[in-house]
Amino acid sequence: MKINRFKIFRVYLVFLIGLGILGCQPQSSSVAIPETDQNVQIETEAVPLKGAAKVVCEIEGCIRFDLQTVDTNIDWINQYFVERIQHTEPVAFIKVIQKNPKKAHETHYLDQRTIKVEFMAQRAHLATFALKSSNLPRNHAQPMTHTEYINFDLQQKKRLALHQFLFNGSEQKLLEVMYRANAPWLNKQGIQLQQLKLSDNYYFDSSGLVIVYPAGELAPTAAGMPELKVPYADLKKVIRPEYWAILQQTTS
């Protein structure tokens, strides 16, 4: 009889302890749900990149830097561009003894390098920026320029490569529709379908997908960076539905 009473008491004690623990849990209505980046409307401001030297001189000459980034209301995007520019122009962030500072004022000893980040567009949780760079070597009349388009998924907090927009295995299908849409220009350049490759430099505008190639790859360097466009009507069968639902709103 004593054993039975002890068992009953032990079960009751465990029940009370469990009830006390549950009573200490916060009610679901009191838990704050943080706002995610996918719900944020991006705000941007162009700012000079902190910590970058304006002029760095070595024995062979000097480099003048003009490095600008964007200050947005999303911290991880800000950090992404700071790190990208630091990686692209590491000399601007290294303390170099100016062995001949007079050369900083002499044009024929001066390279000029510029980087600017521009916000282009936001569609729901997709955002596009342009990273524009220019390099004017000493004694050259024209700078070498390049624009890299960067597409972010704000929900996943990462940059999206072109293949991440596509159904698995649909790269060849995209190449075919891109070739058909740009056949007159490509034929003029002597480029056949089997020679064409996808570029990971791309953006979406109001009419469709724009794939960008480096100067000199598909056409003479003097022609700049070629752009091949694919209308939205040709993209439905290659774009993943979660992204197509966002992109098709652009055409409406």
Side-chain angles (χ1 to χ4, degrees), residues 36-47:
T36 59
D37 289 342
Q38 64 176 315
N39 299 322
V40 173
Q41 187 66 35
I42 294 178
E43 301 173 2
T44 67
E45 178 184 2
V47 294

Side-chain angles (χ1 to χ4, degrees), residues 47-137:
V47 294
L49 189 59
K50 294 180 180 179
K54 293 185 177 181
V55 177
V56 174
C57 292
E58 296 180 300
I59 295 176
E60 61 273 17
C62 300
I63 303 173
R64 177 178 292 159
F65 293 101
D66 180 7
L67 307 179
Q68 296 183 29
T69 185
V70 286
D71 182 20
T72 77
N73 52 334
I74 300 179
D75 290 340
W76 63 268
I77 290 181
N78 298 341
Q79 187 62 27
Y80 174 89
F81 285 114
V82 168
E83 293 176 358
R84 277 297 311 274
I85 297 174
Q86 289 175 340
H87 178 76
T88 303
E89 296 291 359
V91 174
F93 301 90
I94 299 175
K95 293 183 179 179
V96 179
I97 299 174
Q98 296 190 3
K99 298 178 181 180
N100 194 344
K102 292 182 180 179
K103 292 181 180 180
H105 305 288
E106 300 176 22
T107 305
H108 60 284
Y109 281 116
L110 199 65
D111 286 357
Q112 300 182 53
R113 300 181 187 174
T114 301
I115 294 179
K116 295 183 179 181
V117 181
E118 295 181 3
F119 171 66
M120 291 186 62
Q122 179 179 358
R123 300 173 180 87
H125 60 270
L126 298 178
T128 304
F129 290 79
L131 183 67
K132 298 183 177 182
S133 58
S134 173
N135 181 12
L136 180 60

Side-chain angles (χ1 to χ4, degrees), residues 146-149 151 159-163 166 171 174-175 178 196-203 209-215 217-218 225-228:
H146 183 80
T147 301
E148 180 182 355
Y149 297 94
N151 300 274
R159 180 180 180 178
L160 291 173
L162 179 59
H163 73 87
L166 308 177
E171 287 84 355
L174 177 58
L175 274 172
M178 182 173 67
L196 194 59
K197 296 181 180 180
L198 293 176
S199 166
D200 214 28
N201 194 7
Y202 70 96
Y203 63 93
L209 170 65
V210 183
I211 300 183
V212 187
Y213 292 84
E217 183 165 324
L218 299 181
M225 301 180 67
E227 295 187 347
L228 302 183

Side-chain angles (χ1 to χ4, degrees), residues 128-227:
T128 304
F129 290 79
L131 183 67
K132 298 183 177 182
S133 58
S134 173
N135 181 12
L136 180 60
R138 66 199 72 173
N139 298 325
H140 282 63
Q142 297 294 328
M144 296 179 291
T145 61
H146 183 80
T147 301
E148 180 182 355
Y149 297 94
I150 298 169
N151 300 274
F152 292 119
D153 185 322
L154 304 181
Q155 183 176 4
Q156 299 186 51
K157 295 186 177 182
K158 69 177 185 180
R159 180 180 180 178
L160 291 173
L162 179 59
H163 73 87
Q164 292 174 300
F165 274 92
L166 308 177
F167 285 113
N168 292 336
S170 63
E171 287 84 355
Q172 183 60 36
K173 185 178 293 186
L174 177 58
L175 274 172
E176 292 171 359
V177 297
M178 182 173 67
Y179 185 83
R180 289 198 300 269
N182 299 273
W185 185 87
L186 289 168
N187 290 335
K188 187 177 180 180
Q189 306 303 320
I191 299 173
Q192 302 300 316
L193 174 60
Q194 59 270 23
Q195 298 173 280
L196 194 59
K197 296 181 180 180
L198 293 176
S199 166
D200 214 28
N201 194 7
Y202 70 96
Y203 63 93
F204 294 90
D205 65 9
S206 59
S207 60
L209 170 65
V210 183
I211 300 183
V212 187
Y213 292 84
E217 183 165 324
L218 299 181
T221 303
M225 301 180 67
E227 295 187 347

